[in-house]
Amino acid sequence: MDETDSWLGGLDWTSVGDMPGSLSHGMEDFLLPAEDVIAEGRGVVLVNIDVAGTLLVSNFRLIFVSEGQRNVVPLGTIPLATIEKFHKQPMRATSVSRARDKTASRRLLQVIGKDMRIVTYGFRARTRQRRAVFEGLVRLMKPTRLWDLYAFTSGSSMDKSSDPRVRLHTEYLRLLGLQSCSDDDVANLKGKSMSSRQYWRLTDVNSSYTLCPTYPSLFITASSVSDEELQQAAAFRSRRRLPVISWLHPENDAVLARSSQPLIGLMMNNRSNADEKLVASLCAPTTDRQEHRKLYIADARPRKNAIANGAMGGGSESSANYFQSEVVFLGIDNIHAMRDSLARLRDYLDMHGAASSDGSSSLLRSGGLAWGGGNLSSMSAAVSALGDSGWLMHVHSVLAGATWIAARVALEGASVLVHCSDGWDRTTQVVSLAELMLDPYYRTFKGFQALVEKEWLSFGHPFADRHGLPIYTGGSIATVDSFRQSTGNAGPSSPARIIPGSSFSSSMASHSSGLVSNNYSPIFLQWVDCVSQLLHLYPRAFEFSLAFLVELVDCVLSCRFGNFLCNSERERLQVGVADLCGCMWIYLETQRSPKRKGHEHYNIFYSYDQHQGPLLPPAAALAPILWPHFFLRWACPSEMNTAGCLPSSWVRGGEPENQCRVLAQSLSGLKKAKEKVELKVKQLTAKLEALNERLLMENQAVSSAVVTSTRVCKENAAIKHAIHAIGCKVHFSDLNGTTFGLSSSDEDERLDQNIIAGDGHSSEGMSNNSQSKDQASNLSVCLSLTDEADMAANLFRKTCGDTTCRLRNEEGCKWPQGSCALMGSAFVGLRANFDALKELSILDCYFNPGNETTDSLCLPHSQGHEHGIT
């Protein structure tokens, strides 16, 4: 079976009627805010990858939704502004195996995009779905008003940016070394000229855009040149784009300036004193020696092109007429050569990709003849087709020219003036690329935005012309000729700007959209490709990644935002783009904010301190490679992973970058987990320290209680001995009336002796002691005399156990065989003399802690006899 028939076999072509008038159920989930569906085709096949689904035509894009998983297929979903052209393709009848449908024709629609994709959609026969989709595309590609673009329709639902002129003013103040202005009202800037470094000033002579309609309202110029001389110099330059300063070196004060070609004429005899003075002012004295520096005039065109422009009134400068100057030609081709080169590259990728627009593989097409069919010479010729496209050669020319300019400024300290024909294509490419090499600030997210807005937007790169978009001329879409007549531009005109869709054939019988505008050219895409080459050479020098550059190009081509609409700052101001449309920069920042440095737009290899100086790649390193992240994503869709990046077998360095990003995310997760664990450890450590402090306080309290208890026990034992010694009993009574006497058992006395000796007690004993203290707090105490018979019997029944008795020896107490001092002096058969007891006093030395004699009354014998104790 023919390869072109394989993708039709699974469909029943006769079971579907005309397209319904309402949107299919559930398709609303795939639409963006303010996106409306104009036409719909069901049962459509995306031929490139042989997937069936539903094709929607909205006011913003073509949307292809697969039937099985109902997912938006990126290959088949393309913004309308990204479409370069489209046309119908009739096909042969079905094969014999489809005999019942062999009279039915297959209806195809091929869409060619500016982002290197060629997509083919297959429609069912006899449904008129292809006609509805085709007519919807024709109508949407020819808007009658600029405000019909989706960027204005969806602007109310997006974040707006501040006035870009204020951001430009802030960038100029940074270049001049002045503090940023806090006033956001740009009207307050008019009429003010600020000087810096003695030689340069910021002028608003173009505030009304009368000096040059395609220049910004503010720019830097020489202090020695007046505004009147600027007017005269502008008349000598094409499109009145006079020489102005784009960048100043912060150390050697060399400048990088830009302009358009001078109008010297075919005979090269036209001159302008004001222009020559303005160019000579760029040769400001060097910082170390008061002598003028050298000036290079870099003409970005080939020499032959410059001479050819002389026949139309343009041309290039003569070094004899400009002070200390040298004219150099960079040899970069014009916009037409770039457009043709990209078209050849796109055809090459479609032919040799994994799956082409006709649904066949490059490895199987025509028996493998695409790769030479086994013939090495033919295979080499097929591979050389990439070089024949010329795209890499043009990228090399831009890179080499920008590197040469950056080296002159950084190494020689010379000033450079760059121009081409009109000064808004090749000039913008090499100037902005040279600034990217010279200034590390431009290699950050914030700086890159400032660079694009300054060199590409403010200085009037014609995005509307180069991308085939409508232009604004006071309320309607018109050709560029009427616009230039209204502005009174001088100098030779480039080909007229053509509105999108005007290249479409008026005859629907041709089933083709025709050719694109003659002004269309991928200038900005080529510059971003050059940036990707630098990022490949210096992966640690850029804060943003290759994925960010791809997203940037897609946003610019889609026209979803208003930043890149119109051809100049003046047109965007008149339309009110900043107020009516969403801002691309805010959108991109919002995309990467949640994940921060974990987002794919961040370059995980970026090192701020690694490349703080200029990037000056040697000539041998300027060998560009095909940018696979952008050019191979549609030609090799089956090789793309879910992240949208190609594996290492197709993209050099792509897979290591993805692996490093995954490892970086894992490392970030581990760091967060480590922080949580460390925080938990700190909390547990703090709790443990608090418990240790509390335990220490408890131990101190216990020790203090033990000391106090020991002292009290000693005091109680001494008092008890003293009370027993005088022949008294102690009676306790609680609140309930229960009366009990002081225990005199052997166990109690042993307990008292242990306490006096300082022995430890169990916690149970201490608990009982504490309970006794609690009970004692509710007791009353009284003393009574002991009966003599009881006292004598008690004395004879036990040993006194007085270790301090002088009559004891090593064998122990000798009583009753021997005498007893205690009995002889106080108790035996005697009655106490209570009159003498009243005079008895207890010495204070007893209550001293640690006193060895605290168990006695410390009474001298003489004192006892003196008080009548017998």
Side-chain angles (χ1 to χ4, degrees):
M1 182 184 295
D2 197 314
E3 291 174 317
T4 57
D5 296 332
S6 60
W7 56 272
L8 301 171
L11 295 176
D12 187 359
W13 294 89
T14 61
S15 61
V16 181
D18 293 342
M19 180 187 66
S22 61
L23 184 64
S24 298
H25 176 69
M27 292 299 174
E28 298 85 355
D29 300 335
F30 304 109
L31 301 181
L32 298 173
E35 188 176 9
D36 300 324
V37 175
I38 308 300
E40 178 183 0
R42 301 178 185 177
V44 180
V45 174
L46 184 58
V47 179
N48 301 60
I49 56 177
D50 193 17
V51 174
T54 302
L55 180 64
L56 305 177
V57 182
S58 73
N59 56 340
F60 171 56
R61 55 182 174 163
L62 285 175
I63 310 173
F64 188 83
V65 181
S66 62
E67 287 185 352
Q69 300 179 351
R70 294 186 65 84
N71 294 329
V72 175
V73 181
L75 176 61
T77 302
I78 177 172
L80 301 180
T82 309
I83 298 176
E84 181 177 325
K85 55 186 177 181
F86 58 92
H87 58 271
K88 299 177 181 179
Q89 278 188 341
M91 292 188 64
R92 298 169 300 173
T94 57
S95 60
V96 178
S97 61
R98 304 285 296 180
R100 59 174 178 166
D101 297 328
K102 65 179 181 180
T103 58
S105 62
R106 306 167 189 172
R107 304 184 180 276
L108 301 181
L109 177 65
Q110 187 176 76
V111 176
I112 300 176
K114 304 169 187 175
D115 58 352
M116 306 303 295
R117 75 176 108 181
I118 301 178
V119 185
T120 302
Y121 303 98
F123 294 84
R124 297 175 177 179
R126 299 189 300 274
T127 60
R128 298 183 179 179
Q129 293 187 106
R130 185 179 67 164
R131 175 182 296 182
V133 172
F134 186 86
E135 292 177 353
L137 287 176
V138 172
R139 182 168 67 255
L140 293 173
M141 295 292 290
K142 291 183 178 180
T144 57
R145 300 182 308 165
L146 182 65
W147 293 272
D148 292 335
L149 295 176
Y150 177 75
F152 292 93
T153 306
S154 63
S156 59
S157 61
M158 296 184 179
D159 294 329
K160 309 299 188 302
S161 65
S162 59
D163 194 334
R165 294 175 298 168
V166 177
R167 297 196 294 270
L168 177 64
H169 177 256
T170 302
E171 173 61 15
Y172 278 148
L173 293 180
R174 185 190 73 88
L175 293 176
L176 293 172
L178 301 176
Q179 187 176 2
S180 177
C181 179
S182 60
D183 188 4
D184 292 338
D185 189 2
V186 73
N188 294 335
L189 303 176
K190 295 182 179 181
K192 298 180 181 179
S193 294
M194 303 179 183
S195 61
S196 174
R197 303 180 183 178
Q198 181 184 358
Y199 300 106
W200 320 115
R201 66 186 178 99
L202 184 62
T203 179
D204 64 342
V205 66
N206 196 39
S207 59
S208 59
Y209 303 99
T210 56
L211 176 68
C212 179
T214 59
Y215 262 19
S217 58
L218 297 170
F219 56 83
I220 302 176
T221 188
S223 302
S224 59
V225 180
S226 64
D227 291 346
E228 290 76 12
E229 291 173 321
L230 292 178
Q231 293 281 358
Q232 298 174 9
F236 187 69
R237 293 282 171 169
S238 174
R239 312 294 182 201
R240 299 184 61 85
R241 297 174 65 88
L242 70 161
V244 297
I245 296 174
S246 289
W247 187 79
L248 298 92
H249 198 286
E251 297 178 0
N252 58 28
D253 288 338
V255 300
L256 180 58
R258 60 180 297 170
S259 70
S260 62
Q261 64 180 348
L263 303 179
I264 62 174
L266 179 60
M267 304 303 297
M268 301 182 62
N269 54 2
N270 294 335
R271 298 182 60 178
S272 171
N273 293 332
D275 183 75
E276 293 176 7
K277 178 181 179 180
L278 179 60
V279 174
S281 66
L282 302 178
C283 304
T286 58
T287 55
D288 52 350
R289 298 186 302 273
Q290 290 301 316
E291 60 182 24
H292 287 77
R293 67 182 77 242
K294 186 175 183 179
L295 172 68
Y296 288 97
I297 301 178
D299 194 329
R301 304 167 293 181
R303 182 186 296 269
K304 61 179 181 179
N305 292 22
I307 297 176
N309 273 271
M312 298 183 292
S316 187
E317 296 86 350
S318 173
S319 58
N321 298 333
Y322 291 87
F323 178 74
Q324 288 190 211
S325 65
E326 178 181 347
V327 180
V328 178
F329 293 93
L330 302 181
I332 303 175
D333 286 324
N334 57 24
I335 61 174
H336 311 293
M338 305 303 176
R339 180 182 62 245
D340 297 339
S341 175
L342 185 68
R344 290 192 296 268
L345 177 61
R346 182 173 54 208
D347 293 338
Y348 167 82
L349 295 176
D350 182 62
M351 176 66 66
H352 300 285
S356 63
S357 57
D358 61 5
S360 60
S361 172
S362 61
L363 300 177
L364 302 176
R365 185 184 297 111
S366 301
L369 292 179
W371 290 107
N375 189 308
L376 293 180
S377 60
S378 300
M379 186 177 297
S380 300
V383 175
S384 64
L386 174 62
D388 295 339
S389 67
W391 180 259
L392 296 180
M393 180 186 66
H394 294 313
V395 171
H396 178 269
S397 300
V398 177
L399 280 171
T403 304
W404 183 88
I405 293 173
R408 302 287 78 75
V409 174
L411 301 181
E412 292 187 19
S415 296
V416 181
L417 171 63
V418 184
H419 71 75
C420 53
S421 297
D422 293 328
W424 53 35
D425 290 314
R426 289 165 284 193
T427 300
T428 304
Q429 284 181 323
V430 295
V431 168
S432 57
L433 198 60
E435 293 179 23
L436 193 70
M437 296 178 182
L438 291 169
D439 197 337
Y441 171 70
Y442 291 140
R443 300 193 285 269
T444 64
F445 281 108
K446 186 177 180 180
F448 191 75
Q449 174 184 348
L451 176 64
V452 173
E453 289 189 323
K454 175 169 65 76
E455 298 299 334
W456 289 87
L457 296 174
S458 296
F459 278 99
H461 174 69
F463 278 99
D465 289 347
R466 299 299 176 257
H467 293 167
L469 302 176
I471 64 173
Y472 172 78
T473 57
S476 62
I477 299 177
T479 60
V480 69
D481 291 335
S482 60
F483 171 74
R484 286 176 177 146
Q485 291 173 3
S486 64
T487 56
N489 285 345
S493 300
S494 59
R497 297 170 182 166
I498 302 176
I499 61 176
S502 61
S503 60
F504 288 35
S505 174
S506 59
S507 175
M508 296 300 295
S510 64
H511 307 298
S512 174
S513 65
L515 299 176
V516 296
S517 168
N518 193 42
N519 278 332
Y520 165 75
S521 186
I523 299 300
F524 184 75
L525 169 60
Q526 188 180 54
W527 178 76
V528 178
D529 192 356
C530 294
V531 176
S532 72
Q533 305 295 332
L534 289 179
L535 202 156
H536 176 75
L537 290 175
Y538 301 96
R540 300 178 63 85
F542 294 84
E543 185 180 14
F544 45 85
S545 65
L546 292 173
F548 170 78
L549 297 180
V550 174
E551 184 76 12
L552 172 67
V553 175
D554 286 343
C555 289
V556 173
L557 295 178
S558 67
C559 292
R560 182 181 177 183
F561 308 94
N563 302 77
F564 297 88
L565 296 179
C566 305
N567 285 319
S568 64
E569 179 184 283
R570 176 195 180 189
E571 292 183 16
R572 284 184 288 272
L573 180 64
Q574 291 175 340
V575 173
V577 168
D579 299 326
L580 300 177
C581 303
C583 179
M584 181 195 70
W585 306 110
I586 296 180
Y587 168 78
L588 294 177
E589 183 178 0
T590 305
Q591 290 290 100
R592 61 179 180 267
S593 293
K595 295 184 179 180
R596 298 184 181 273
K597 292 187 177 180
H599 195 269
E600 62 177 2
H601 288 178
Y602 280 92
N603 179 15
I604 60 175
F605 302 116
Y606 174 65
S607 177
Y608 176 79
D609 300 327
Q610 187 78 15
H611 296 283
Q612 283 302 296
L615 303 180
L616 301 176
L622 295 179
I625 61 173
L626 193 65
W627 181 17
H629 296 75
F630 183 81
F631 292 110
L632 295 184
R633 56 177 176 163
W634 307 124
C636 307
S638 60
E639 306 300 327
M640 298 180 65
N641 54 31
T642 57
C645 298
L646 297 173
S648 57
S649 60
W650 293 80
V651 180
R652 183 171 57 180
E655 186 64 18
E657 180 179 352
N658 293 333
Q659 292 179 356
C660 290
R661 192 178 304 279
V662 172
L663 292 176
Q665 293 177 354
S666 301
L667 179 61
S668 178
L670 292 176
K671 288 182 178 179
K672 292 181 180 179
K674 178 184 176 182
E675 292 176 356
K676 292 182 179 179
V677 172
E678 290 178 348
L679 180 60
K680 190 67 175 179
V681 169
K682 289 181 180 179
Q683 294 176 351
L684 294 177
T685 303
K687 290 182 179 180
L688 182 61
E689 292 178 353
L691 291 176
N692 289 334
E693 293 179 359
R694 184 175 178 181
L695 181 61
L696 180 60
M697 294 176 61
E698 293 288 343
N699 291 336
Q700 292 176 352
V702 169
S703 300
S704 178
V706 170
V707 173
T708 303
S709 177
T710 303
R711 181 173 58 82
V712 171
C713 289
K714 289 181 180 181
E715 293 175 358
N716 291 338
I719 294 174
K720 185 170 67 173
H721 281 292
I723 291 176
H724 278 283
I726 61 177
C728 296
K729 288 184 179 181
V730 180
H731 296 275
F732 299 94
S733 62
D734 56 11
L735 297 179
N736 298 326
T738 304
T739 302
F740 50 90
L742 183 65
S743 175
S744 301
S745 62
D746 297 340
E747 182 180 356
D748 291 341
E749 292 206 2
R750 285 195 301 269
L751 180 63
D752 294 340
Q753 293 296 333
N754 291 336
I755 294 177
I756 294 173
D759 294 341
H761 299 285
S762 64
S763 59
E764 181 179 359
M766 294 182 63
S767 176
N768 296 331
N769 188 23
S770 62
Q771 295 178 1
S772 299
K773 289 183 179 180
D774 295 337
Q775 296 177 357
S777 62
N778 297 324
L779 298 178
S780 60
V781 184
C782 65
L783 299 177
S784 62
L785 293 176
T786 304
D787 185 68
E788 295 181 358
D790 295 338
M791 182 179 67
N794 189 39
L795 289 175
F796 282 98
R797 188 169 55 248
K798 67 175 183 178
T799 304
C800 67
D802 189 355
T803 59
T804 61
C805 179
R806 292 173 294 174
L807 300 179
R808 292 174 65 92
N809 57 16
E810 296 179 355
E811 296 179 358
C813 180
K814 298 180 180 181
W815 188 86
Q817 289 77 13
S819 60
C820 178
L822 183 60
M823 294 178 60
S825 61
F827 295 103
V828 178
L830 297 179
R831 182 183 292 271
N833 187 353
F834 290 96
D835 294 333
L837 185 62
K838 294 180 181 179
E839 302 295 330
L840 181 65
S841 61
I842 301 175
L843 298 181
D844 295 336
C845 64
Y846 166 74
F847 297 99
N848 292 334
N851 197 324
E852 296 294 338
T853 61
T854 55
D855 59 340
S856 66
L857 296 177
C858 299
L859 298 177
H861 293 282
S862 60
Q863 184 177 356
H865 291 287
E866 290 175 358
H867 288 79
I869 300 178
T870 59

